[in-house]
Amino acid sequence: MALFLQYITTTVTFPDIFSLTYSLNFAFLLFVFVELAYQLVQCGARLILSARREKELQTVKRRCLQRSNLQDEDILVLPLDLLDRGSHEAKTEAALQHFGHIDVLINNGGRSQRSLFLETSLEVYHALMELNFLGTVSLTKQVLPHMTKRGSGSIVTVSSVAGLAGAPLSTGYSASKHALQGFFNSLRTELTDYPNILISTVCPGPVQSRIVDNAFTEVLNKPVSTVSSQEYKMSTSRCVRLMLVGITNGVQEMWIAQQPFLLFYYLWQYTPTLAWFVTNKLGRKRVHNFKAGLDADSAYFSKPKAP
């Protein structure tokens, strides 16, 4: 089930407790995480804020309290590292001990990639799968049994347009997002005996953030050389608003993007042969832009240099 999510507006009401999980030092997820927290507290939702760095989480909590009528005990700061899978059981128990239950888990952790496969070390692919895929699966493994016991709840996972169609320069990232799509599509079918449990994946297109600035490159710990432009991307607040509309309405898969990017989703869904043709044309240009030292994404909207 997919829903066109560009121009929808509705009155939004939310369940009692949202658990937000992400890795703080990965900027796209930081932008979305903070905006999610701000919009949720304005609706009165109680939060569990989880990431690696407690100091930054406390800052988000303080600002959330300033923006809402919530009390200190209504927002739990729970430091968590997606890569430390052995700690996820204890962290989940701590959250349950504080609130008694979790209505919604939002898996929002991960990191992008900008490098060519022929130049990229295997360690980068290992790191991408460990963080983007296995970290999310591990946390879901801990939270879901409590939802099945109660008979209700929502598991919402931020995937990507790269989880629906491959993207050059993002082979490992796209693979990790395809893995998430396959995993949660399969899990949704396993849970048909629990009609009140929502398994939802969110597939954003380009969103204003610094995701590319913090992406993996061809070797671990090497920064991206070209800073990306934000002008052509959807605002973070708009993306989050549409995510919450989708969650509230029980949407199983959300495609969130501005045009012309949204059209790309529909090409892959309904005319895959044409989509391959378009993908190859745009992909070739993307690779040429990258080799020319340009931002591979924003260069679509400017005149690229010769490779």
Side-chain angles (χ1 to χ4, degrees), residues 129-194:
M129 294 301 294
E130 285 281 330
L131 177 63
N132 293 4
F133 178 63
L134 290 176
T136 296
V137 170
S138 174
L139 199 56
T140 301
K141 178 74 171 176
Q142 298 303 324
V143 174
L144 184 58
H146 301 280
M147 292 183 175
T148 57
K149 185 177 180 179
R150 294 180 63 224
S152 64
S154 299
I155 305 288
V156 180
T157 301
V158 179
S159 179
S160 169
V161 62
L164 303 175
L169 308 178
S170 300
T171 48
Y173 176 73
S174 183
S176 70
K177 294 301 184 178
H178 273 74
L180 286 175
Q181 292 289 124
F183 173 81
F184 283 105
N185 285 342
S186 300
L187 178 61
R188 186 184 299 113
T189 303
E190 288 186 11
L191 297 173
T192 51
D193 288 337
Y194 301 91

Side-chain angles (χ1 to χ4, degrees), residues 61-72 75:
K61 175 178 178 177
R62 183 176 65 255
R63 292 174 180 172
C64 284
L65 292 174
Q66 293 170 350
R67 293 166 179 252
S68 69
N69 295 320
L70 297 179
Q71 303 300 310
D72 183 79
I75 301 178

